[in-house]
Amino acid sequence: MASRGYKVLKAVHPNAGIRADYRGKLDRLLDKMQRSNVYFLKAQYRETPPRMALDETPARELERELRRLGIQWQEEFDKLAPKMARWFSQSVERRSTLAMQKMLKDAGVTVRYTMTKRMRDVFHATVEENVSLIKSIGQQYHGEVVGLVMRSVAQGRDLGTLTKALQARYAITSRRAALIARDQNNKTTAVMTRVRQGEAGIKQAVWLHSLGGKEPRPTHLANNGGVYDIDKGWFDPDPKVRRRIWPGELINCRCVPKPIVKGFS
């Protein structure tokens, strides 16, 4: 849209393919860990099923072995997290940069982007945040599994009941992995796009609500179409927020900015 010496460009939306690939990588790692735990517990129950709930010694040995298995899998998560986080950050940076270049070119503006200090800082911060999140998946899963198994042993539950409980825990962890992939894709696309907009000299943007989601934030919906300064953000009056934010910053926020390019007659 061009009017009164400016154009409002299209928004750069988070890429669904990157989100799906990220979730797929997390799910495959999580699935391997789940199957490893189930295999281990089935083997343990086959060896000492009658004594497990009655004798303290096998129970303690089971707990030690579970924690040992947890350490092994945490080492695997710790090893893969930096590589996975770097792949994700590079994918979003490359895609958001190319998307901004194309939109500006279509508007008649040529910009050659490089890896600036600001973008490098954002890139490294994104890698570190995602490394921490990926590692936390294994940490939380095993903490919950150890507690779940030991409660099951203490209550004398059979393997079938325990396996169902493990599957329920797996489903919870899988949903958290999906949330991480979706939310980080939104956040990272938003912040990297904002950096590229600033480097192109863009000062303002239009807040665009996704008009989707089961429970849209009322303040974000009310701000749909509002203009804000890119370097300052928009003040969200929601009592739970009450600070300046940017599209895509809050968890599960799918709002995006439409940059305003000035200098057109």
Side-chain angles (χ1 to χ4, degrees):
M1 180 179 72
S3 176
R4 302 187 202 133
Y6 66 85
K7 283 185 179 180
V8 179
L9 307 186
K10 294 180 181 179
V12 176
H13 291 269
N15 184 266
I18 294 176
R19 182 198 66 212
D21 287 348
Y22 194 9
R23 179 178 180 178
K25 290 176 185 292
L26 293 174
D27 278 346
R28 285 190 290 274
L29 183 58
L30 178 57
D31 181 63
K32 289 180 181 178
M33 181 173 62
Q34 167 77 354
R35 286 189 284 109
S36 173
N37 276 270
V38 171
Y39 178 85
F40 165 77
L41 287 167
K42 284 183 177 178
Q44 291 296 311
Y45 265 71
R46 280 196 299 267
E47 286 182 11
T48 57
R51 299 170 54 203
M52 193 73 75
L54 302 175
D55 194 332
E56 186 179 3
T57 302
R60 286 184 174 179
E61 180 62 24
L62 174 63
E63 183 177 7
R64 281 195 295 270
E65 290 299 321
L66 264 176
R67 294 193 183 280
R68 188 175 295 121
L69 181 62
I71 290 172
Q72 292 175 358
W73 271 105
Q74 192 57 50
E75 289 175 350
E76 184 72 6
F77 270 77
D78 292 350
K79 181 180 73 174
L80 294 176
K83 180 180 179 180
M84 199 179 299
R86 181 167 289 275
W87 162 83
F88 168 71
S89 302
Q90 288 174 336
S91 297
V92 177
E93 189 279 323
R94 186 181 304 112
R95 191 260 173 182
S96 58
T97 295
L98 289 174
M100 274 303 305
Q101 279 182 322
K102 183 179 185 307
M103 289 180 185
L104 289 168
K105 183 178 180 181
D106 290 345
V109 179
T110 301
V111 176
R112 293 179 62 87
Y113 284 119
T114 60
M115 182 56 79
T116 60
K117 181 182 183 304
R118 173 61 178 149
M119 180 56 85
R120 190 177 294 110
D121 289 344
V122 169
F123 179 88
H124 289 311
T126 300
V127 171
E128 289 303 313
E129 181 175 6
N130 280 268
V131 165
S132 178
L133 287 169
I134 294 167
K135 288 182 177 180
S136 75
I137 293 174
Q139 292 166 348
Q140 290 187 13
Y141 172 87
H142 270 288
E144 292 290 338
V145 165
V146 170
L148 188 156
V149 171
M150 299 318 296
R151 287 191 298 273
S152 180
V153 168
Q155 294 167 10
R157 294 175 179 171
D158 60 20
L159 180 60
T161 303
L162 175 57
T163 301
K164 289 180 181 178
L166 287 171
Q167 192 60 36
R169 168 47 50 188
Y170 171 78
I172 292 171
T173 307
S174 180
R175 287 195 294 272
R176 180 168 180 261
L179 172 61
I180 288 172
R182 181 177 64 252
D183 192 55
Q184 284 299 306
N185 193 36
N186 292 348
K187 283 181 169 64
T188 305
T189 300
V191 69
M192 288 186 172
T193 299
R194 186 167 75 248
V195 169
R196 289 312 194 191
Q197 289 171 350
E199 290 172 349
I202 298 171
K203 303 297 184 184
Q204 292 184 312
V206 175
W207 188 287
L208 180 64
H209 192 273
S210 67
L211 300 178
K214 294 181 180 179
E215 297 181 3
R217 289 178 170 91
T219 53
H220 292 204
L221 187 58
N223 190 47
N224 186 43
V227 176
Y228 67 95
D229 292 337
I230 286 176
D231 61 339
K232 295 179 181 178
W234 163 71
F235 183 82
D236 188 344
D238 187 320
K240 295 181 180 179
V241 183
R242 293 195 59 79
R243 62 180 175 85
R244 289 188 175 276
I245 62 168
W246 289 269
E249 179 183 349
L250 301 184
I251 189 166
N252 274 329
C253 176
R254 291 184 286 181
C255 299
V256 290
K258 295 174 68 175
I260 299 172
V261 179
K262 296 183 178 181
F264 293 88
S265 57

